[in-house]
Amino acid sequence: MTKHTIHFSILLVLILISSNSQSQDQSGSITYKGIVNEKFVDSFLVAYKKKDRPMSVKQDVIKAMENAKVEEFLLNFKNDESYYYKKPNLEDQNYLMGSRAGTTPYYTNSSKDMIIQMSRPLGNINFKPVEWEITGKTKKIGNYTCRQAKTTEKLYSRQGYFFYKDVVAWFTPDIPISFGPKNYNGLPGLILQIEDREYTLTAIKINLNPSDDVKIKRIDKKDKVISEKESYRRIEEMMKDYSKR
């Protein structure tokens, strides 16, 4: 082996080690802004005003919807794990309508095929991965060029029936991380925006590989993880108990 070949081999090993190290230490924290879509607000108010409710209740609900506040959510990720949650806000305790984008945190582990909704009333629910259809549409979000992906989710309501929800995601291949808010992940790039009929989540701050350690909240090993199908049964039981009150 020549001296030149030895030097080249050492250089190649160092590059591979460096590359391996970087791929194993990927981490970041993404802040999303959540807003209620204007079209949804308009349609909600038109329908709600026709309902038979006490006028005082109607006025409170209408005022709350018309003044729906901007909310912030955080997505922390490290290697193959992520944790998504709503930033605590003192105003939440007095907010009549609650969050249209939801307040339930999610833990994801891509290496173990785990997408866990950490629900207080129902428990830890393991969601199936979302099946995306990547379209040819693109747009800019901040400084990033994003591609569009679509899906239709099958969900189970508290009233005991299935319904479908169309969701649009905008992800950027410039950040090759397959995470996103809530249970939305699995695309070849970080999801910077989620849109559905009610709300829109948009990344407003991206902090990649921060100097401080990124905190990931995991489910306790003692806690039981249930399937989506099992969660449907629990919803039915909860509604039966509620109706008896």
Side-chain angles (χ1 to χ4, degrees):
M1 184 180 290
T2 65
K3 190 175 182 180
H4 175 76
T5 304
I6 293 173
H7 286 168
F8 178 77
S9 299
I10 293 173
L11 179 62
L12 183 61
V13 169
L14 290 175
I15 290 172
L16 289 172
I17 291 173
S18 173
S19 173
N20 243 6
S21 167
Q22 287 177 5
S23 65
Q24 290 173 359
D25 294 328
Q26 289 179 327
S27 65
S29 181
I30 317 299
T31 303
Y32 292 89
K33 175 181 70 175
I35 60 171
V36 182
N37 298 332
E38 288 185 16
K39 286 184 178 180
F40 172 74
V41 173
D42 292 342
S43 62
F44 175 91
L45 293 178
V46 168
Y48 190 78
K49 288 175 182 178
K50 295 177 182 178
K51 291 187 175 183
D52 183 19
R53 298 285 190 277
M55 185 53 66
S56 59
V57 175
K58 272 191 175 184
Q59 289 174 342
D60 288 342
V61 171
I62 290 169
K63 183 179 178 181
M65 182 58 85
E66 288 177 338
N67 297 286
K69 55 186 173 47
V70 175
E71 301 168 310
E72 287 194 357
F73 302 81
L74 287 177
L75 172 69
N76 290 340
F77 68 86
K78 188 173 183 180
N79 300 330
D80 55 2
E81 294 179 294
S82 74
Y83 179 64
Y84 168 85
Y85 63 99
K86 185 180 183 297
K87 287 183 69 174
N89 192 324
L90 294 176
E91 296 179 9
D92 290 344
Q93 298 175 2
N94 302 314
Y95 187 48
L96 181 64
M97 293 300 296
S99 171
R100 305 310 302 188
T103 59
T104 308
Y106 286 80
Y107 167 76
T108 300
N109 188 317
S110 57
S111 65
K112 296 182 179 180
D113 294 325
M114 296 175 69
I115 305 172
I116 308 295
Q117 183 189 65
M118 303 164 80
S119 169
R120 285 186 179 180
L122 296 175
N124 299 308
I125 306 168
N126 193 13
F127 274 66
K128 295 177 182 177
V130 172
E131 294 183 6
W132 297 103
E133 176 192 352
I134 299 176
T135 73
K137 292 185 178 181
T138 63
K139 74 173 182 178
K140 294 277 284 189
I141 296 178
N143 297 322
Y144 296 96
T145 298
C146 295
R147 297 187 64 189
Q148 186 192 69
K150 293 182 176 183
T151 191
T152 298
E153 287 188 282
K154 182 180 180 181
L155 302 171
Y156 194 71
S157 76
R158 291 186 178 182
Q159 288 70 40
Y161 62 85
F162 288 99
F163 67 99
Y164 295 87
K165 181 175 76 168
D166 293 329
V167 179
V168 174
W170 293 93
F171 69 96
T172 177
D174 296 338
I175 305 177
I177 304 296
S178 63
F179 293 121
K182 301 184 77 170
N183 59 310
Y184 304 120
N185 54 46
L187 287 165
L190 179 67
I191 296 176
L192 298 190
Q193 189 174 80
I194 287 289
E195 304 169 328
D196 77 2
R197 188 176 70 90
E198 295 188 17
Y199 66 87
T200 300
L201 289 167
T202 306
I204 57 173
K205 184 179 179 182
I206 301 173
N207 188 8
L208 299 177
N209 297 315
S211 54
D212 295 333
D213 189 37
V214 174
K215 303 297 182 183
I216 303 292
K217 184 176 180 179
R218 302 172 178 86
I219 59 172
D220 195 298
K221 291 181 179 178
K222 297 178 182 178
D223 292 341
K224 183 180 178 182
V225 175
I226 65 174
S227 66
E228 288 183 69
K229 187 175 181 179
E230 173 65 15
S231 73
Y232 306 154
R233 187 185 64 79
R234 292 194 179 188
I235 290 173
E236 290 174 356
E237 290 177 351
M238 286 174 56
M239 295 312 297
K240 285 179 183 177
D241 292 339
Y242 182 78
S243 63
K244 292 177 183 177
R245 296 177 184 178

